[in-house]
Short mmCIF file of all heavy atoms in Angstrom, two decimals:
data_model
loop_
_atom_site.label_atom_id
_atom_site.label_comp_id
_atom_site.label_asym_id
_atom_site.label_seq_id
_atom_site.Cartn_x
_atom_site.Cartn_y
_atom_site.Cartn_z
N VAL Q 1 10.10 -3.50 -6.54
CA VAL Q 1 9.33 -2.39 -5.99
C VAL Q 1 9.82 -2.12 -4.57
O VAL Q 1 9.71 -2.99 -3.69
CB VAL Q 1 7.82 -2.69 -5.98
CG1 VAL Q 1 7.07 -1.52 -5.33
CG2 VAL Q 1 7.32 -2.95 -7.38
N GLU Q 2 10.35 -0.91 -4.37
CA GLU Q 2 10.81 -0.52 -3.04
C GLU Q 2 9.68 0.11 -2.24
O GLU Q 2 8.77 0.71 -2.81
CB GLU Q 2 11.95 0.51 -3.13
CG GLU Q 2 13.17 0.07 -3.91
CD GLU Q 2 13.13 0.51 -5.36
OE1 GLU Q 2 12.01 0.75 -5.87
OE2 GLU Q 2 14.19 0.62 -5.98
N SER Q 3 9.78 0.00 -0.94
CA SER Q 3 8.82 0.65 -0.04
C SER Q 3 9.51 0.90 1.29
O SER Q 3 10.58 0.36 1.57
CB SER Q 3 7.57 -0.21 0.15
OG SER Q 3 7.91 -1.45 0.74
N GLY Q 4 8.86 1.73 2.12
CA GLY Q 4 9.37 1.96 3.47
C GLY Q 4 10.06 3.29 3.68
O GLY Q 4 10.45 3.60 4.81
N GLY Q 5 10.21 4.06 2.62
CA GLY Q 5 10.84 5.36 2.78
C GLY Q 5 9.92 6.33 3.50
O GLY Q 5 8.75 6.05 3.75
N GLY Q 6 10.48 7.50 3.84
CA GLY Q 6 9.68 8.51 4.51
C GLY Q 6 10.53 9.61 5.08
O GLY Q 6 11.74 9.69 4.83
N LEU Q 7 9.89 10.43 5.89
CA LEU Q 7 10.55 11.56 6.56
C LEU Q 7 10.76 11.19 8.02
O LEU Q 7 9.79 10.86 8.73
CB LEU Q 7 9.69 12.81 6.44
CG LEU Q 7 10.14 14.03 7.24
CD1 LEU Q 7 11.51 14.51 6.79
CD2 LEU Q 7 9.11 15.14 7.13
N VAL Q 8 12.01 11.23 8.46
CA VAL Q 8 12.33 10.90 9.84
C VAL Q 8 13.30 11.93 10.39
O VAL Q 8 13.85 12.74 9.64
CB VAL Q 8 12.94 9.50 9.98
CG1 VAL Q 8 11.95 8.42 9.56
CG2 VAL Q 8 14.23 9.38 9.18
N GLN Q 9 13.52 11.87 11.69
CA GLN Q 9 14.48 12.76 12.32
C GLN Q 9 15.82 12.04 12.48
O GLN Q 9 15.90 10.81 12.45
CB GLN Q 9 13.97 13.21 13.68
CG GLN Q 9 12.73 14.09 13.60
CD GLN Q 9 12.32 14.65 14.95
OE1 GLN Q 9 12.59 14.05 15.99
NE2 GLN Q 9 11.69 15.82 14.94
N ALA Q 10 16.86 12.83 12.66
CA ALA Q 10 18.19 12.26 12.88
C ALA Q 10 18.16 11.30 14.07
O ALA Q 10 17.46 11.54 15.05
CB ALA Q 10 19.20 13.38 13.12
N GLU Q 11 18.89 10.23 13.93
CA GLU Q 11 19.01 9.14 14.92
C GLU Q 11 17.82 8.16 14.88
O GLU Q 11 17.86 7.14 15.58
CB GLU Q 11 19.19 9.66 16.33
CG GLU Q 11 20.49 10.42 16.53
CD GLU Q 11 21.72 9.60 16.16
OE1 GLU Q 11 21.80 8.41 16.55
OE2 GLU Q 11 22.60 10.12 15.44
N ASP Q 12 16.82 8.43 14.07
CA ASP Q 12 15.71 7.48 13.90
C ASP Q 12 16.15 6.30 13.05
O ASP Q 12 17.24 6.29 12.48
CB ASP Q 12 14.51 8.18 13.27
CG ASP Q 12 13.72 9.01 14.25
OD1 ASP Q 12 14.01 8.94 15.47
OD2 ASP Q 12 12.81 9.75 13.82
N SER Q 13 15.23 5.34 12.94
CA SER Q 13 15.47 4.16 12.12
C SER Q 13 14.37 4.00 11.08
O SER Q 13 13.24 4.47 11.28
CB SER Q 13 15.52 2.89 13.00
OG SER Q 13 16.58 2.94 13.91
N LEU Q 14 14.71 3.35 9.99
CA LEU Q 14 13.76 2.98 8.95
C LEU Q 14 14.16 1.62 8.41
O LEU Q 14 15.35 1.27 8.40
CB LEU Q 14 13.77 3.98 7.79
CG LEU Q 14 12.94 5.24 7.84
CD1 LEU Q 14 13.19 6.06 6.59
CD2 LEU Q 14 11.46 4.93 7.98
N ARG Q 15 13.17 0.88 7.92
CA ARG Q 15 13.48 -0.36 7.21
C ARG Q 15 12.86 -0.29 5.83
O ARG Q 15 11.64 -0.16 5.69
CB ARG Q 15 12.96 -1.60 7.95
CG ARG Q 15 13.45 -2.88 7.28
CD ARG Q 15 13.06 -4.14 8.03
NE ARG Q 15 11.69 -4.56 7.73
CZ ARG Q 15 11.26 -5.80 7.85
NH1 ARG Q 15 12.10 -6.76 8.25
NH2 ARG Q 15 10.00 -6.09 7.59
N LEU Q 16 13.70 -0.36 4.85
CA LEU Q 16 13.24 -0.41 3.47
C LEU Q 16 13.06 -1.85 3.04
O LEU Q 16 13.80 -2.73 3.46
CB LEU Q 16 14.26 0.27 2.54
CG LEU Q 16 14.64 1.72 2.86
CD1 LEU Q 16 15.57 2.25 1.78
CD2 LEU Q 16 13.42 2.59 3.02
N SER Q 17 12.08 -2.06 2.17
CA SER Q 17 11.83 -3.37 1.59
C SER Q 17 11.89 -3.27 0.07
O SER Q 17 11.54 -2.24 -0.50
CB SER Q 17 10.46 -3.91 2.00
OG SER Q 17 10.38 -4.07 3.40
N CYS Q 18 12.31 -4.34 -0.54
CA CYS Q 18 12.33 -4.43 -2.00
C CYS Q 18 11.68 -5.76 -2.36
O CYS Q 18 12.27 -6.82 -2.14
CB CYS Q 18 13.76 -4.36 -2.51
SG CYS Q 18 13.94 -4.66 -4.28
N ALA Q 19 10.48 -5.68 -2.90
CA ALA Q 19 9.73 -6.87 -3.27
C ALA Q 19 9.97 -7.19 -4.74
O ALA Q 19 9.85 -6.31 -5.60
CB ALA Q 19 8.25 -6.67 -3.01
N ALA Q 20 10.29 -8.44 -5.01
CA ALA Q 20 10.56 -8.87 -6.37
C ALA Q 20 9.42 -9.73 -6.90
O ALA Q 20 8.82 -10.51 -6.16
CB ALA Q 20 11.86 -9.66 -6.41
N SER Q 21 9.15 -9.59 -8.19
CA SER Q 21 8.15 -10.42 -8.84
C SER Q 21 8.65 -10.78 -10.24
O SER Q 21 9.52 -10.12 -10.79
CB SER Q 21 6.81 -9.72 -8.92
OG SER Q 21 6.92 -8.53 -9.68
N GLY Q 22 8.08 -11.83 -10.78
CA GLY Q 22 8.44 -12.22 -12.14
C GLY Q 22 9.45 -13.35 -12.20
O GLY Q 22 9.38 -14.19 -13.08
N ARG Q 23 10.40 -13.35 -11.30
CA ARG Q 23 11.40 -14.41 -11.23
C ARG Q 23 11.74 -14.64 -9.76
O ARG Q 23 11.60 -13.74 -8.93
CB ARG Q 23 12.69 -14.02 -11.98
CG ARG Q 23 12.55 -13.91 -13.48
CD ARG Q 23 12.57 -15.27 -14.15
NE ARG Q 23 13.79 -16.01 -13.93
CZ ARG Q 23 14.88 -15.91 -14.68
NH1 ARG Q 23 14.90 -15.07 -15.69
NH2 ARG Q 23 15.94 -16.63 -14.43
N THR Q 24 12.21 -15.83 -9.44
CA THR Q 24 12.57 -16.10 -8.06
C THR Q 24 13.81 -15.30 -7.67
O THR Q 24 14.78 -15.23 -8.43
CB THR Q 24 12.80 -17.60 -7.85
OG1 THR Q 24 13.20 -17.82 -6.50
CG2 THR Q 24 13.87 -18.13 -8.78
N LEU Q 25 13.76 -14.71 -6.51
CA LEU Q 25 14.82 -13.80 -6.08
C LEU Q 25 16.16 -14.50 -5.88
O LEU Q 25 17.21 -13.88 -6.01
CB LEU Q 25 14.41 -13.11 -4.78
CG LEU Q 25 15.20 -11.87 -4.40
CD1 LEU Q 25 15.02 -10.77 -5.44
CD2 LEU Q 25 14.78 -11.38 -3.02
N SER Q 26 16.13 -15.79 -5.60
CA SER Q 26 17.37 -16.51 -5.33
C SER Q 26 18.29 -16.59 -6.54
O SER Q 26 19.45 -16.98 -6.43
CB SER Q 26 17.06 -17.92 -4.83
OG SER Q 26 16.32 -18.63 -5.80
N THR Q 27 17.79 -16.20 -7.70
CA THR Q 27 18.61 -16.17 -8.91
C THR Q 27 19.55 -14.97 -8.94
O THR Q 27 20.53 -14.96 -9.68
CB THR Q 27 17.69 -16.11 -10.15
OG1 THR Q 27 16.76 -17.18 -10.10
CG2 THR Q 27 18.48 -16.18 -11.44
#
């Protein structure tokens, strides 16, 4: 599940996250 998107202006910053469930991400 991704999150963190949105509407920003040029030169701005955003951080997207991707949360995993069901299995350990290290796989």
Side-chain angles (χ1 to χ4, degrees):
V1 178
E2 302 94 337
S3 62
L7 172 63
V8 296
Q9 294 186 332
E11 296 303 315
D12 282 352
S13 297
L14 274 178
R15 187 175 81 155
L16 304 184
S17 298
C18 173
S21 61
R23 293 281 299 273
T24 178
L25 196 63
S26 59
T27 305

